[in-house]
Amino acid sequence: MDRSIRTVDDVLRLLDGLFAPDADRWTATGASWWDGFYADRSKDVPFFAAKPDENLVSYLDRGLITAGRALDLGCGPGRNALHLDAQGFTVDAVDLSPTAVAWAADRAREARAGVRFHCGDAFDLIGTELGGRYDLVYDSGCFHHLPPHRRISYLALLDRVLAPGGHFALVCFAAGDQGMGSELADADFYRESGLHGGLAYTPESLRHIFAGLTELEFRRMRDEPPESARFGEPFLWTALFRRDATAR
Ligand SMILES: C[S@@+](CC[C@H](N)C(=O)[O-])C[C@H]1O[C@@H](n2cnc3c(N)ncnc32)[C@H](O)[C@@H]1O
């Protein structure tokens, strides 16, 4: 008989366990599905190309964000982390998948970039391997793969690591016309024990979740043609938020 639930963390882990191992992208360790996904580097996946997000380039070009300490959450093969490094940021980058992190490290070696890559669950690494505050927290495509209850962990993580006046930038599946993510209601992901390839968000839902931050820009990602030096897909939202400078 299991009567081990005592803390919020215990509940979060119990809910993680409702998503059967290997049935979807989110598993108890999460890594196995993603490791298979990254195993073949030549696969035709748009974000496998070593190009930064068009919105990230645009924030930098317009001076909306400036160099400082950056954290790339769910960095995959490191394309945005490497761009931030090249733009003068000191970068920590985290991913669940050892295969993705090994690929990102190879890219960093080739580019002579100083990014520090960390392999593991972002929620476990904060406070252990990763410390201090970041001027920029960047997430391209990680948040929408989290089960709904992990938004609690995500907001706690932002609260802990985002510096006062720091920026949070998010790229995630847009609900609607060209949508890629699932539009199931939160409760239905638990009923069906799966994340259906990721969660779609409306602008209202994102504004509700990140209500503690100030919105600076919110738009669809621009569609970038294959020959572009930037990554861009119009089925994604791009959002830039800032934390109150007087926050503790
Ligand atoms: C769609 S991929 C995006 C990769 C990369 N940001 C990019 O755009 O090229 C999502 C990534 O999030 C990672 N991920 C998902 N949940 C995570 C977690 N809890 N902690 C760290 N990484 C996570 C996955 O391993 C995967 O590499």
Side-chain angles (χ1 to χ4, degrees):
M1 191 168 64
D2 174 21
R3 294 282 179 271
S4 54
I5 298 278
R6 195 175 57 88
T7 67
V8 172
D9 260 0
D10 293 335
V11 176
L12 296 176
R13 284 185 205 288
L14 175 132
L15 293 173
D16 288 345
L18 297 183
F19 297 94
D22 297 318
D24 211 317
R25 289 150 205 239
W26 183 266
T27 68
T29 66
S32 56
W33 190 94
W34 285 107
D35 266 342
F37 181 77
Y38 289 117
D40 176 4
R41 296 183 183 184
S42 66
K43 228 169 28 182
D44 185 22
V45 175
F47 71 83
F48 276 15
K51 303 172 176 186
D53 288 340
E54 65 80 7
N55 57 296
L56 176 59
V57 175
S58 164
Y59 302 152
L60 288 158
D61 285 351
R62 287 180 287 152
L64 292 179
I65 56 174
T66 50
R69 280 193 87 205
L71 174 64
D72 186 353
L73 285 176
C75 64
R79 57 195 183 83
N80 290 309
L82 292 178
H83 186 70
L84 287 165
D85 176 272
Q87 298 300 312
F89 284 79
T90 303
V91 186
D92 278 313
V94 182
D95 202 281
L96 277 177
S97 160
T99 310
V101 170
W103 186 1
D106 286 347
R107 281 181 168 167
R109 254 189 310 279
E110 278 163 30
R112 296 179 188 276
V115 179
R116 289 196 310 170
F117 290 102
H118 307 264
C119 189
D121 188 327
F123 306 126
D124 294 336
L125 290 180
I126 301 297
T128 55
E129 241 176 85
L130 300 176
R133 296 288 183 100
Y134 294 89
D135 305 296
L136 173 68
V137 175
Y138 195 77
D139 176 339
S140 184
C142 178
F143 174 76
H144 61 208
H145 288 300
L146 301 177
H149 62 278
R150 281 293 167 187
R151 287 178 211 139
I152 298 168
S153 315
Y154 196 93
L155 289 172
L157 182 154
L158 282 184
D159 195 51
R160 198 153 160 189
V161 303
L162 193 56
H167 291 90
F168 165 58
L170 178 70
V171 174
C172 84
F173 288 145
D177 47 330
Q178 310 174 60
M180 282 278 289
S182 169
E183 298 195 16
L184 280 181
D186 280 353
D188 289 333
F189 293 106
Y190 297 91
R191 291 191 183 103
E192 300 196 4
S193 303
L195 295 178
H196 296 263
L199 283 63
Y201 285 88
T202 60
E204 297 71 32
S205 58
L206 290 174
R207 288 181 174 128
H208 171 67
I209 293 165
F210 298 109
L213 302 171
T214 301
E215 180 183 318
L216 300 185
E217 185 171 282
F218 195 116
R219 62 170 172 83
R220 286 288 180 124
M221 194 178 236
R222 293 193 184 101
D223 196 2
E224 293 285 331
E227 65 278 11
S228 168
R230 302 167 186 190
F231 169 86
E233 294 286 353
F235 54 79
L236 296 162
W237 293 124
T238 67
L240 179 65
F241 298 94
R242 188 176 52 222
R243 187 172 197 186
D244 188 341
T246 61
R248 294 192 165 205

